[in-house]
Amino acid sequence: MAAVLESLLREEVSVAAAVRWIARSAQSSEDDPGEAAALSSLRPLRKEFVPFLLNFLREQSSRVLPQGPPTPAKAPGSSAALPGRPGGPPRGGRGARSQLFPPTEPSSTAAAEAPSARRGGRRRGPGPGRERGGRGSGGLEEGVSGESSPWAGGRRPRGSGSPGSPSLARSDPPNLSNLEEFPPVGSVPPGPAGTKPSRRINPTPVSEERSLSKPKTCFTSPPINCVPSSQSSVPDTSPWGHGLPPGCRSLQEEREMLRKERSKQLQQSPTPACPTSESGSPLPSRTGNLTAEPADPARVSSRQRLELIALIYSSCIAENLVPNLFLELFFVLQLLTARRMVATKESDLEPIPGALDSLESPLFQSVHDCVFFAVQVLEHQFQVLSYLDKGTLKLLAENERLLCFSPALQGRLRAAYEGSVAKVSLAMPPSAQAVSFQPETDNRANFSSDRAFHTFKKQRDVFFEVLREWEDRHEEPGWDFEKGLGSRIRAMMGQLSAACSHSHFVRLFQKQLLQMCQSPSGTGGTVLGEAPDVLSMLGADKLGRLRRLQERLVAPQSSGGPCPPPTFPGCQGFFRDFILSASSFQFNQHLMDSLSLKIRELNSLALPQPEPSDEDGESDVDWQGERRQFAMVLLSLRLLAKFLGFVAFLPYRGPEPPPTRELQDSILALRSQVPPALDVRALLQQGLRARRAVLTVPWLVEFLSLADHIVPLLDYYRSIFTLLLHLHRSLVLSKESEGEMCFLNKLLLLAVLGWLFQIPTVPEDLFFLEEGQLDTFEVDTVTSEQGLDGMPVVDQHLLYTCCPYIGELRKLLASWVSGSSGRSGGFVRKITPTTTTGLGAQPPRTTQGLQAQLAQAFFHNQPPSLRRTVEFVAERIGSNCVKHIKATLVADLVRQAESLLQEQLVTQGQEGGDPAQLLEILCSQLCPHGAQALTRGREFCQKKSPGAVRALLPEETPAAVLSSAENIAVGLATEKACAWLSANITALIRREVKAAVSRTLRAQGPEPAARGERRGCSRACEHHAPLPSHLISEIKDVLALAVGPRDPEEGVSPEHLEQLLGQLGQTLRCRQFLCPPAEQHLAKCSVELASLLVADQIPVLGPPVQHRLERGQARRLLHMLLSLWKDDFQVPVPLQLLLSPRNLGLLADTRPREWDLLLFLLRELVEKGLMGRTEIEACLGSLHDAQWPKDFSEELATLFNPLLAEPHMPEPQLRACELVQTNRGTVLAQS
Amino acid sequence: MILTKAQYDEIAQCLVSVPPTRQSLRKLKQRFPSQSQATLLSIFSQEYQKHIKRTHAKHHTSEAIESYYQRYLNGVGRNGAAPVLLDLANEVDYAPSLMARIILERFLQEHEETPPSKSVINSMLRDPSQIPDGVLANQVYQCIVNDCCYGPLVDCIKHAIGHEHEVLLRDLLLEKSLSFLDEDQLRAKGYDKTPDFILQVPVAVEGHIIHWIESKASFGDECSHHAYLHDQFWSYWNRFGPGLVIYWYGFIQELDCNRERGILLKACFPTDIVTLCHSLA
């Protein structure tokens, strides 16, 4: 590899030719024969060039960035490719990335040993270095020749070699010797384990600071299995942080640490890194011991060489030969902001004579070299830079080194900054609304039984209770999801017995997930046709705490370097932990089904159609809507896919790949039997064909990012990765032509794919496929139709929302400004030397009806908003039509059913017969009327659709277009409504009639009186009457006083009683606040009061203390009561209570007994028709059963016999006489 | 009437083992003249109910029932007109209506062949005339009309108060032209949990969004509020989003801590209601 680089440096080969050579397997006609000859000899090494280059740059820069933000790690195979390493690299036998911090060698020990190791390295450095350096490329041949595959080098057993490459030895950076302690991940110990797939990434040279680099540990920390305690895992950022078995460091402890770290970082650095430092190891202060060295263009050591390498490096980036564009940019910015060289001995800086054109001398001999190189690369990458957010552009434009080295670039950046509108804020709108209850899907009719309905009712509440508790407590120290909520969740899941309940719960879960975790763009973003959130419309910016919490959760402080592992930030953590704690197979299955369905639905959603490019202005407004909708759909898809991936691969997830080949093969054999949860390959192929990669690929990446180690080895997924690699290579940013994907669309795809390629579970060898395999995917890139890819659907906000790690660039630059460099870093994971071939094929044409085609054609040349409007109107009107039919036709039929039923009940008596039979009779009579539904439905759509379309389309829409749009809307709405109605109307009528029947039959039972017609209060009533509750309470007090016990001074005044009855009259006449139970109690109390009056039991207040009520007053009060009973009460008054043994007993106890009031009352009752004689007789008859004093019974008989015997009412004289009579016993005497 | 926790505790302190009679209420009103009667009664009633809940079990052991019944029999044996049952209830610090129920149940067990059903007992308590024993009927009736915290009359009063406030709230909503769905309409549509009113168009009160309003004609103390939160308010939030609870007789100020979360407490109908403007565009 070095040979290639050297021939470039010697200008034997042009950069363009070299890049062509790297990028394509076949030789191009453009190639100069000489160049071709030079290169063809190196052909077997072609694919190794890029990794070599990247590793070379990383290693060269290691002196500059030993302590800075962790340098993105090197690419695989580097050590083999480096010149002067015939014996293989000096690294130890530990290859797996997860063993970077081997358990046997805790990092604290390593750190302690490091200095001596460095010194050792320095001592023995120069000798072997030079010696080996002389062999140059020979070493290269030797290193590779033995291998059948160019990439086998990565798998080669290592650890036997002597230390140090020449460059390492010479420059003697302290960190390199640490490589002996911490070998590159690409190397594996010799022996049978050699079959283990090599890790393509060498670690960044380790210093003690290195151990603080969180992302590394994120990758290393095995998800579920135990991690050695010396290696702190980061539960909160690891997707599977939850569920470490006992024996690991307790989650609690780790959370505590995490929290401390977080607060520390917030104070210390604008780039909070993920905290993984061992507790106790101090965080180094970079500002303390490292001041930035000024960079001077005049002191750049070998311009030409740097320029050349910058050019070839940039070309590789431009051709997407590097796996992760943003990682390279990050690296370049690190070089730009390098503080100073570690070794500053003058001798080191002296160029070695004659070595300038070779790789013998260090590439970066000073900070000046680094900055020069970085600025060179940035110049080449200006186009990408110009698409970054405004904040990053500003920081770049303000960077003094950049200004100093390239005023021209600075000027372009400044101009880009000034022209940029891409302000990206990470603040997310709040979304803590609960999923709302929708009767259509949530009411009883949707459940199999009452029990299921009520169970689900409780579950909904438990779910939100758990969610609220999580919100409140998950940041508390010592709180643990499983401990705090696990048992409650499982108890709840245990109740979901019926499959139907599961689907209800899953729907709730999924909706809540979307609502809380999706980060919709700020204002008024409508979720797929749902009504805009009223909250945002109202500008309800005061959900203060909740919102702040949300923001913090949704937009975490750091994404963990330029290549963070997949995590479940914020609220997503709740849903992940919920799934884990629930550990319910049924739930997971239903969830997968539901997620898959939703993904399919959203993925195939008709998004903006191509818009004629000549239209501008007004279409701009539309485009904002389109973009917003696209963003909503994309973010929803990503979220759903991530959770689908999580659940689907959950059973297979382990910390590491299988240890042996045999085991792996048997697992592969098993797994290849299992069909995928969702046919993502088909969806990807469709997406590529329909030029919707910009929608499909980002969610697919989310899905794949949660795959386990075996997945990428399965044929099915391997083919997906191949397609993705393919796509990656094809997304050349500089290509801008008709039919090309939009720049930001490409950038988004490059970012997400680059990120995916760094996921630890994705083995690197997938990316170095045989060329033959790739060639089979050769397809023509000519696309007849413009899909989403060609439309500017992605903006910076969406880019940064999907890929928050791009923000690391800004953080890096900001930390340069603030003088403290961020510590977060990332990794180069792998290199993808694949060849580019075209994508997609002709989309299969589906034939629909001619009308549908015409409609399609009609929309084709109209703005997309027109189509959306029409579809929307049709959808809504169709749905409203169904609702309207329900409310009119069906409601009428139900009313008919009710009256038919009433008739039935009257003719057949109360029982009415078997309800099921009744229902059948009714349905057979009524269901035929359902046929009207279609006619009425058509009328409804015909009537309503045109107006809606007209209201929604611009005023200026041409008449013909308008009327076509209206007609199409009518047609679509009718189609939708009629399809539903014809399929469901009978069932609907049946259901509603059934409900009505059971309602009627239930109502038939108790309280027939309550169903009587009720009068309201008069129109003039102002509802000032006393409240019924007050009256009951007042009357109760009087009753209590009368019944006793009472204090000597207690009593009521006759006026008060009169007033009370007056008020009672008002209340009964007003009725505004009266409810039947209150009226019933009032009626009963009024009867009790009458009994007390009749028995003269009411203690009257007045001088001297306790009086009895005057007879006249008593009669007046009784008259008032009679009139209330007659005219005002609307409930039956229990007048028979007057003659109950208890109330008559009140009389029995008085001596002498006074019957006049009672007789008076009874006569009045009869006269007013309030009680019949027979009724009174029956009451009196029942009195005989009671035990009375003998004389009382006799008096009773004497008294009532005449009353009952009288065929007519007593003559007027008697009444007049009674009214006059006030003396006790008179009536008795008369009778 | 919004009270601080301290104010509330002061009142509650005075209510410890006070019998639920009108005399007690009168004294309470004299002790706290600045508080409204309704609030005091509501607090008293709730505190008393808590007390009864705590001591309920000890009055229902078979020994206790037997001893109460014997004392009742002895008492009425001496003088059937004396408030035997009421005095007994006050003496053992138990609600008169509940004491009446215990004795009635015990009485019926003795005199009927089959053990009395709950509905029979309830019906007799509602209408003591149905009690076969005249003396017991009078004793029971006396207990019921003298009990200001328990019994069918009190239940009816509470129910009526609740209903009246719902009507009041409905009128206020109509007056403000806020369209709503009431409980009956919601139930008819098949909602599983139904607040008193769901606003068809949400409003903002003191900067908080309100989707639903629940009327509570009682004082909001800790115990009842937590029960309501668990059984009702959060359930409403879970389905309909944030809402408003009106405790017409006031509440403990400190309980109004879920505003940001979506449950706002008020002691009266809010005055500053912000509605959605239709002329936004």
Side-chain angles (χ1 to χ4, degrees):
Chain A
M1 277 303 97
V4 180
L5 203 53
E6 285 182 5
S7 60
L8 275 166
L9 290 175
R10 286 193 296 270
E11 294 181 22
E12 284 165 11
V13 176
S14 78
V15 170
V19 172
R20 274 197 302 276
W21 171 74
I22 299 154
R24 287 174 273 281
S25 54
Q27 279 183 11
S28 162
S29 55
E30 300 159 47
D31 290 342
D32 176 73
E35 286 177 342
L39 289 170
S40 64
S41 65
L42 298 166
R43 194 176 165 154
L45 311 172
R46 198 172 58 76
K47 283 193 282 183
E48 274 199 49
F49 179 78
V50 176
F52 165 75
L53 176 66
L54 297 185
N55 284 325
F56 172 74
L57 289 172
R58 299 295 194 275
E59 261 180 40
Q60 291 295 306
S61 67
S62 58
R63 269 199 325 152
V64 195
L65 308 164
Q67 289 177 310
T71 314
K74 295 182 291 183
S78 60
S79 43
L82 270 176
R85 271 199 195 162
R91 284 143 204 192
R94 302 176 212 95
R97 196 180 194 107
S98 55
Q99 288 171 352
L100 255 181
F101 300 90
T104 50
E105 214 169 347
S107 61
S108 53
T109 329
E113 283 172 1
S116 68
R118 273 177 214 147
R119 275 194 300 280
R122 200 173 293 141
R123 269 199 306 277
R124 62 176 187 256
R130 285 228 172 92
E131 193 184 311
R132 238 167 261 119
R135 281 197 246 161
S137 59
L140 173 78
E141 313 276 304
E142 205 181 317
V144 178
S145 56
E147 309 291 336
S148 55
S149 145
W151 280 99
R155 285 187 199 148
R156 199 154 30 111
R158 287 170 189 178
S160 55
S162 51
S165 70
S167 60
L168 301 189
R170 189 168 301 136
S171 60
D172 195 18
N175 51 353
L176 280 188
S177 52
N178 261 1
L179 287 173
E180 293 178 34
E181 313 293 332
F182 306 114
V185 282
S187 58
V188 280
T195 52
K196 196 172 176 178
S198 69
R199 307 304 301 197
R200 54 227 172 273
I201 304 304
N202 290 342
T204 301
V206 180
S207 65
E208 51 262 77
E209 284 75 24
R210 197 62 192 85
S211 68
L212 296 172
S213 144
K214 169 200 173 181
K216 198 117 226 170
T217 323
C218 281
F219 275 143
T220 26
S221 98
I224 285 170
N225 281 14
C226 195
V227 269
S229 59
S230 63
Q231 216 178 327
S232 69
S233 77
V234 186
D236 278 9
T237 49
S238 145
W240 315 288
H242 182 72
L244 288 169
C248 299
R249 160 178 284 147
S250 78
L251 283 176
Q252 208 169 312
E253 217 176 320
E254 286 174 290
R255 287 213 164 95
E256 183 57 49
M257 267 169 50
L258 195 64
R259 214 164 284 114
K260 276 187 205 147
E261 282 300 331
R262 233 178 235 154
S263 62
K264 246 189 264 177
Q265 282 155 4
L266 282 176
Q267 289 158 5
Q268 288 185 352
S269 149
T271 5
C274 303
T276 53
S277 80
E278 308 302 318
S279 44
S281 108
L283 287 166
S285 155
R286 282 186 41 81
T287 40
N289 55 21
L290 268 180
T291 46
E293 196 179 317
D296 181 0
R299 294 174 63 191
V300 174
S301 52
S302 49
R303 273 174 181 269
Q304 196 193 2
R305 192 169 63 147
L306 285 169
E307 269 170 13
L308 209 106
I309 291 182
L311 179 60
I312 193 156
Y313 178 53
S314 299
S315 305
C316 288
I317 294 176
E319 286 283 326
N320 292 329
L321 298 172
V322 300
N324 189 327
L325 164 68
F326 289 100
L327 198 53
E328 299 312 317
L329 287 180
F330 188 79
F331 171 65
V332 170
L333 291 184
Q334 278 183 314
L335 287 179
L336 178 70
T337 57
R339 307 236 158 212
R340 60 176 193 173
M341 277 316 220
V342 168
T344 47
K345 270 195 288 175
E346 278 305 305
S347 61
D348 277 356
L349 292 175
E350 278 169 25
I352 290 132
L356 270 183
D357 56 346
S358 74
L359 301 177
E360 289 298 294
S361 64
L363 182 63
F364 304 123
Q365 303 199 4
S366 63
V367 164
H368 323 293
D369 290 0
C370 291
V371 175
F372 178 77
F373 177 80
V375 172
Q376 285 288 313
V377 177
L378 290 177
E379 276 183 339
H380 292 297
Q381 298 302 323
F382 172 75
Q383 197 187 13
V384 177
L385 298 180
S386 68
Y387 277 90
L388 294 177
D389 73 313
K390 210 167 170 161
T392 313
L393 284 175
K394 181 167 188 279
L395 285 165
L396 269 175
E398 284 171 353
N399 188 293
E400 69 276 20
R401 282 181 169 176
L402 200 140
L403 174 65
C404 178
F405 278 73
S406 174
L409 177 61
Q410 196 270 347
R412 288 162 81 194
L413 283 168
R414 175 159 292 273
Y417 163 71
E418 276 155 11
S420 169
V421 286
K423 201 150 187 168
V424 173
S425 88
L426 282 173
M428 301 298 173
S431 54
Q433 289 275 65
V435 171
S436 73
F437 181 94
Q438 293 298 329
E440 291 77 26
T441 51
D442 295 343
N443 74 11
R444 168 66 185 86
N446 295 286
F447 289 84
S448 55
S449 66
D450 281 330
R451 207 174 134 250
F453 178 56
H454 289 291
T455 307
F456 183 65
K457 174 171 86 180
K458 279 187 221 133
Q459 271 150 359
R460 177 192 287 265
D461 288 328
V462 173
F463 176 68
F464 285 110
E465 187 185 300
V466 165
L467 178 56
R468 268 192 297 272
E469 186 164 333
W470 175 83
E471 280 186 341
D472 285 344
R473 308 200 51 195
H474 74 284
E475 291 195 316
E476 275 175 26
W479 191 81
D480 175 66
F481 189 97
E482 170 55 33
K483 256 189 240 155
L485 303 171
S487 57
R488 236 183 301 164
I489 290 172
R490 278 186 295 277
M492 183 189 92
M493 299 309 285
Q495 292 177 322
L496 291 169
S497 47
C500 131
S501 311
H502 270 290
S503 66
H504 277 285
F505 182 74
V506 160
R507 198 181 56 233
L508 176 72
F509 186 87
Q510 187 177 307
K511 275 189 175 175
Q512 190 66 31
L513 173 71
L514 277 174
Q515 223 162 286
M516 283 181 80
C517 302
Q518 185 191 44
S519 43
S521 50
T523 48
T526 53
V527 189
L528 315 170
E530 279 172 28
D533 187 5
V534 194
L535 260 182
S536 51
M537 282 171 70
L538 269 178
D541 49 0
K542 288 192 183 170
L543 279 176
R545 202 180 125 229
L546 196 54
R547 165 172 290 190
R548 284 196 299 279
L549 182 66
Q550 287 292 319
E551 239 171 63
R552 204 157 68 235
L553 295 178
V554 180
Q557 289 300 322
S558 172
S559 54
C563 293
T567 55
F568 290 84
C571 302
Q572 293 180 16
F574 170 80
F575 293 92
R576 173 203 58 193
D577 290 350
F578 188 98
I579 293 168
L580 290 173
S581 278
S583 58
S584 158
F585 168 74
Q586 292 97 321
F587 171 62
N588 289 356
Q589 187 62 49
H590 280 268
L591 186 58
M592 280 195 288
D593 296 348
S594 177
L595 290 168
S596 302
L597 183 71
K598 190 80 185 166
I599 289 172
R600 278 181 180 282
E601 185 190 315
L602 289 179
N603 188 56
S604 60
L605 200 72
L607 283 159
Q609 296 300 304
E611 182 138 12
S613 51
D614 51 19
E615 242 184 300
D616 48 7
E618 50 119 359
S619 66
D620 227 33
V621 184
D622 289 339
W623 265 114
Q624 282 180 9
E626 310 287 2
R627 271 208 205 102
R628 207 154 48 209
Q629 203 200 352
F630 176 81
M632 294 299 292
V633 173
L634 182 71
L635 293 172
S636 300
L637 274 169
R638 278 167 54 90
L639 184 69
L640 295 168
K642 184 179 190 177
F643 273 86
L644 180 63
F646 176 65
V647 180
F649 301 121
L650 189 60
Y652 308 108
R653 193 162 288 128
E656 285 188 32
T660 65
R661 185 97 206 185
E662 291 71 28
L663 197 52
Q664 180 180 306
D665 286 347
S666 70
I667 295 173
L668 274 174
L670 262 177
R671 290 284 296 280
S672 57
Q673 305 292 312
V674 184
L678 174 66
D679 190 357
V680 285
R681 183 171 63 185
L683 292 175
L684 173 63
Q685 284 163 344
Q686 280 169 25
L688 293 175
R689 248 183 260 125
R691 304 205 11 98
R692 288 164 69 93
V694 70
L695 181 66
T696 303
V697 170
W699 69 254
L700 181 61
V701 163
E702 289 288 297
F703 175 78
L704 294 174
S705 74
L706 286 159
D708 58 87
H709 287 92
I710 294 296
V711 166
L713 308 177
L714 297 165
D715 286 344
Y716 177 84
Y717 289 102
R718 220 182 155 85
S719 61
I720 291 174
F721 277 100
T722 310
L723 276 174
L724 291 178
L725 281 165
H726 228 27
L727 176 68
H728 183 257
R729 282 291 298 281
S730 73
L731 297 167
V732 177
L733 287 166
S734 54
K735 267 196 230 161
E736 278 180 283
S737 61
E738 192 68 23
E740 266 292 315
M741 202 185 275
C742 294
F743 192 92
L744 274 166
N745 296 8
K746 277 188 199 169
L747 210 52
L748 173 67
L749 294 190
L750 284 177
V752 295
L753 288 171
W755 176 75
L756 178 68
F757 300 155
Q758 307 296 321
I759 299 294
T761 46
V762 179
E764 73 284 8
D765 60 354
L766 262 184
F767 296 88
F768 312 109
L769 295 161
E770 292 303 314
E771 303 206 349
Q773 270 180 290
L774 278 178
D775 290 341
T776 59
F777 286 91
E778 195 93 37
V779 265
D780 65 320
T781 47
V782 183
T783 43
S784 57
E785 219 177 302
Q786 203 185 8
L788 271 179
D789 289 348
M791 271 169 279
V793 282
V794 176
D795 58 10
Q796 271 93 349
H797 191 272
L798 184 60
L799 177 67
Y800 277 75
T801 307
C802 290
C803 314
Y805 33 85
I806 302 179
E808 295 293 318
L809 300 179
R810 187 175 52 200
K811 289 178 189 166
L812 183 65
L813 290 167
S815 73
W816 163 256
V817 172
S818 70
S820 71
S821 178
R823 282 179 310 275
S824 56
F827 314 89
V828 169
R829 287 297 310 277
K830 62 196 77 168
I831 305 302
T832 58
T834 57
T835 52
T836 314
T837 43
L839 291 166
Q842 283 295 98
R845 290 234 168 260
T846 54
T847 44
Q848 295 175 318
L850 186 63
Q851 275 306 315
Q853 281 180 23
L854 281 174
Q856 294 288 338
F858 166 71
F859 287 122
H860 187 75
N861 286 322
Q862 298 294 338
S865 59
L866 178 80
R867 186 199 187 110
R868 266 211 326 281
T869 306
V870 168
E871 281 173 350
F872 174 72
V873 166
E875 204 264 333
R876 292 323 309 158
I877 299 284
S879 158
N880 292 351
C881 172
V882 170
K883 285 188 187 126
H884 178 72
I885 298 289
K886 270 191 208 171
T888 54
L889 179 69
V890 177
D892 283 344
L893 291 176
V894 168
R895 268 192 291 279
Q896 279 183 43
E898 277 167 346
S899 58
L900 283 171
L901 187 62
Q902 288 294 348
E903 281 169 32
Q904 200 85 13
L905 291 173
V906 171
T907 52
Q908 299 198 355
Q910 279 293 346
E911 307 308 306
D914 177 31
Q917 206 185 331
L918 273 176
L919 181 67
E920 282 313 313
I921 298 169
L922 290 171
C923 287
S924 65
Q925 281 177 293
L926 297 171
C927 285
H929 294 285
Q932 291 174 34
L934 294 182
T935 340
R936 291 215 204 170
R938 256 181 228 114
E939 282 167 17
F940 182 89
C941 295
Q942 197 87 46
K943 203 172 89 195
K944 296 284 180 182
S945 310
V949 171
R950 221 171 299 141
L952 291 174
L953 289 182
E955 285 284 295
E956 291 70 26
T957 308
V961 172
L962 185 62
S963 91
S964 300
E966 287 172 7
N967 288 338
I968 293 170
V970 169
L972 287 174
T974 311
E975 190 184 307
K976 181 186 154 84
C978 289
W980 193 92
L981 286 171
S982 57
N984 298 303
I985 189 72
T986 311
L988 178 67
I989 294 173
R990 267 193 90 86
R991 198 177 76 200
E992 295 291 310
V993 168
K994 188 178 173 189
V997 167
S998 57
R999 212 163 42 226
T1000 313
L1001 290 178
R1002 257 206 310 275
Q1004 205 63 26
E1007 287 193 44
R1011 288 185 295 125
E1013 205 183 309
R1014 303 185 56 84
R1015 281 177 288 161
C1017 37
S1018 71
R1019 208 166 273 204
C1021 180
E1022 289 185 339
H1023 314 313
H1024 290 319
L1027 294 173
S1029 60
H1030 170 76
L1031 283 174
I1032 304 174
S1033 181
E1034 289 283 310
I1035 296 174
K1036 174 175 169 279
D1037 280 350
V1038 174
L1039 297 178
L1041 266 178
V1043 173
R1046 55 183 170 258
D1047 296 337
E1049 75 281 2
E1050 283 185 308
V1052 287
S1053 69
E1055 295 74 31
H1056 176 67
L1057 283 175
E1058 228 167 286
Q1059 192 196 356
L1060 205 56
L1061 293 183
Q1063 289 180 339
L1064 180 56
Q1066 288 171 30
T1067 299
L1068 289 171
R1069 284 187 289 276
C1070 167
R1071 312 206 68 83
Q1072 167 76 351
F1073 294 99
L1074 207 53
C1075 60
E1079 195 176 357
Q1080 278 159 13
H1081 269 91
L1082 281 171
K1084 212 168 106 198
C1085 287
S1086 69
V1087 175
E1088 301 279 354
L1089 194 61
S1091 286
L1092 289 166
L1093 282 170
V1094 164
D1096 193 14
Q1097 295 277 326
I1098 300 198
V1100 172
L1101 205 58
V1105 189
Q1106 271 185 10
H1107 251 304
R1108 299 208 144 175
L1109 206 57
E1110 278 180 38
R1111 314 306 288 170
Q1113 280 171 333
R1115 280 185 190 231
R1116 214 168 31 249
L1117 291 169
L1118 286 176
H1119 259 293
M1120 287 178 87
L1121 282 169
L1122 279 163
S1123 130
L1124 291 175
W1125 292 337
K1126 172 125 178 75
D1127 300 325
D1128 297 320
F1129 274 106
Q1130 291 184 16
V1131 295
V1133 181
L1135 292 165
Q1136 66 285 355
L1137 282 182
L1138 288 168
L1139 295 173
S1140 71
R1142 193 175 61 80
N1143 282 326
L1144 271 187
L1146 295 172
L1147 262 178
D1149 295 339
T1150 55
R1151 300 266 167 206
R1153 299 197 182 97
E1154 293 156 9
W1155 296 95
D1156 57 335
L1157 288 172
L1158 180 63
L1159 280 176
F1160 160 73
L1161 187 60
L1162 289 176
R1163 286 213 169 88
E1164 286 294 315
L1165 286 174
V1166 173
E1167 190 171 324
K1168 288 192 186 315
L1170 287 165
M1171 264 182 119
R1173 268 167 219 281
T1174 44
E1175 209 181 331
I1176 295 177
E1177 207 165 349
C1179 290
L1180 289 173
S1182 64
L1183 281 177
H1184 295 305
D1185 306 338
Q1187 304 289 311
W1188 303 109
K1190 192 164 177 288
D1191 59 332
F1192 183 76
S1193 304
E1194 282 167 7
E1195 274 182 50
L1196 206 62
T1198 337
L1199 193 63
F1200 284 100
N1201 282 339
L1203 178 78
L1204 297 172
E1206 278 169 32
H1208 302 292
M1209 282 313 300
E1211 49 290 359
Q1213 298 99 300
L1214 179 62
R1215 284 168 70 213
C1217 148
E1218 275 171 0
L1219 286 171
V1220 179
Q1221 290 288 346
T1222 51
N1223 292 333
R1224 281 182 263 156
T1226 320
V1227 176
L1228 188 59
Q1230 274 178 352
S1231 51
Chain B
M1 196 62 60
I2 301 171
L3 303 180
T4 63
K5 178 87 173 70
Q7 284 174 310
Y8 178 83
D9 286 343
E10 191 195 346
I11 296 175
Q13 201 56 45
C14 297
L15 299 175
V16 178
S17 41
V18 172
T21 60
R22 59 179 188 282
Q23 288 89 346
S24 314
L25 275 177
R26 210 164 44 222
K27 282 178 205 148
L28 191 65
K29 284 170 201 165
Q30 285 159 6
R31 170 80 178 70
F32 297 100
S34 62
Q35 309 293 351
S36 88
Q37 282 196 28
T39 299
L40 283 176
L41 178 60
S42 183
I43 292 175
F44 177 60
S45 172
Q46 280 162 218
E47 284 298 310
Y48 189 74
Q49 281 173 39
K50 276 182 232 168
H51 167 72
I52 291 297
K53 267 179 211 148
R54 280 195 299 272
T55 57
H56 176 83
K58 80 171 184 193
H59 298 292
H60 281 260
T61 61
S62 52
E63 296 80 19
I65 292 174
E66 213 46 48
S67 123
Y68 296 156
Y69 189 56
Q70 284 311 318
R71 287 176 68 178
Y72 160 75
L73 288 180
N74 294 339
V76 295
R78 278 194 298 275
N79 177 8
V84 177
L85 209 47
L86 186 63
D87 287 347
L88 175 62
N90 287 337
E91 196 187 315
V92 301
D93 196 11
Y94 198 50
S97 294
L98 301 179
M99 182 59 88
R101 177 186 281 271
I102 290 178
I103 299 299
L104 175 62
E105 208 171 339
R106 178 67 186 77
F107 173 86
L108 292 174
Q109 265 169 19
E110 195 169 276
H111 290 83
E112 310 280 316
E113 280 152 19
T114 51
S117 73
K118 223 170 177 150
S119 67
V120 167
I121 290 177
N122 284 338
S123 160
M124 286 182 172
L125 287 171
R126 270 199 302 274
D127 177 13
S129 303
Q130 296 169 11
I131 296 171
D133 179 279
V135 175
L136 181 56
N138 285 334
Q139 294 284 339
V140 167
Y141 188 69
Q142 190 173 42
C143 283
I144 287 166
V145 292
N146 276 294
D147 192 331
C148 65
C149 290
Y150 281 95
L153 267 175
V154 173
D155 289 345
C156 176
I157 292 170
K158 284 182 183 163
H159 178 265
I161 293 177
H163 176 76
E164 289 153 14
H165 283 89
E166 275 176 43
V167 173
L168 186 74
L169 179 55
R170 172 195 304 270
D171 286 355
L172 288 163
L173 290 173
L174 289 172
E175 199 179 292
K176 301 269 177 200
S177 311
L178 300 174
S179 54
F180 55 81
L181 291 172
D182 67 20
E183 235 176 319
D184 294 336
Q185 290 166 306
L186 294 173
R187 224 171 271 136
K189 284 179 176 245
Y191 282 81
D192 60 354
K193 288 269 185 177
T194 51
D196 289 330
F197 300 100
I198 287 183
L199 301 177
Q200 285 179 320
V201 181
V203 297
V205 172
E206 291 167 25
H208 299 275
I209 299 299
I210 302 298
H211 285 280
W212 48 267
I213 304 180
E214 176 79 1
S215 157
K216 287 281 170 235
S218 61
F219 182 86
D221 67 359
E222 270 174 300
C223 182
S224 61
H225 185 64
H226 285 136
Y228 283 139
L229 274 176
H230 182 265
D231 297 334
Q232 301 185 3
F233 308 155
W234 285 130
S235 294
Y236 301 154
W237 186 94
N238 296 343
R239 288 159 180 77
F240 316 114
L244 165 71
V245 177
I246 303 179
Y247 278 112
W248 296 100
Y249 295 156
F251 55 88
I252 297 176
Q253 203 171 14
E254 283 85 343
L255 293 177
D256 190 14
C257 57
N258 285 309
R259 288 181 157 227
E260 307 300 336
R261 266 259 161 112
I263 291 173
L264 178 68
L265 304 189
K266 297 282 291 175
C268 59
F269 192 74
T271 46
D272 62 332
I273 295 178
V274 179
T275 52
L276 183 62
C277 297
H278 290 283
S279 55
L280 273 177

